[in-house]
Amino acid sequence: MRRCRLALLTETEEGKQMISQKTLPDFVWALASNEPVPGGGGAAALCAAIGTALGNMVGSLTTGKKKYADVEDRILELKAKSDALQTRFLQLIDEDA
């Protein structure tokens, strides 16, 4: 089984926020704790990123199929937009911290 990793912010000695890698279960447990981050905004951004990824998965499964050749260009456009949204939602997790 592959372990999912999610970027979370941590404080360095200088007080600057840096991204470190945490597992998705670590994110969930931290969310359930009394720690200030992650919070509701980060959780919402994660849900948005996952939802966008699911839509993107459908696009990935659709492209290259003869049955959908007439809409492939549109699917590729939507996948590009989904990629940008996924990236932005993941950034918003960190920005909420």
Side-chain angles (χ1 to χ4, degrees), residues 39-59:
L46 175 60
C47 290
I50 291 171
T52 304
L54 284 170
N56 216 354
M57 177 185 72
V58 172

Side-chain angles (χ1 to χ4, degrees), residues 11-86:
E11 292 281 330
T12 64
E13 291 177 20
E14 300 83 29
K16 181 179 178 187
Q17 293 199 335
M18 299 287 293
I19 295 175
S20 66
Q21 295 297 312
K22 298 289 184 189
T23 64
L24 190 52
D26 287 345
F27 181 91
V28 171
W29 284 109
L31 184 62
S33 76
N34 63 352
E35 294 297 317
V37 289
L46 175 60
C47 290
I50 291 171
T52 304
L54 284 170
N56 216 354
M57 177 185 72
V58 172
S60 295
L61 293 170
T62 302
T63 57
K65 302 277 192 318
K66 291 180 188 178
K67 183 177 180 179
Y68 303 108
D70 59 329
V71 294
E72 183 157 334
D73 288 342
R74 182 67 178 135
I75 296 294
L76 291 172
E77 288 174 25
L78 292 170
K79 280 185 54 49
K81 289 180 180 181
S82 291
D83 287 342
L85 284 170
Q86 282 174 222

Side-chain angles (χ1 to χ4, degrees), residues 8-9 17 36-39 42 92-97:
L8 295 177
L9 292 178
Q17 293 199 335
V37 289
L92 287 171
I93 295 169
D94 292 339
E95 288 179 23
D96 185 60

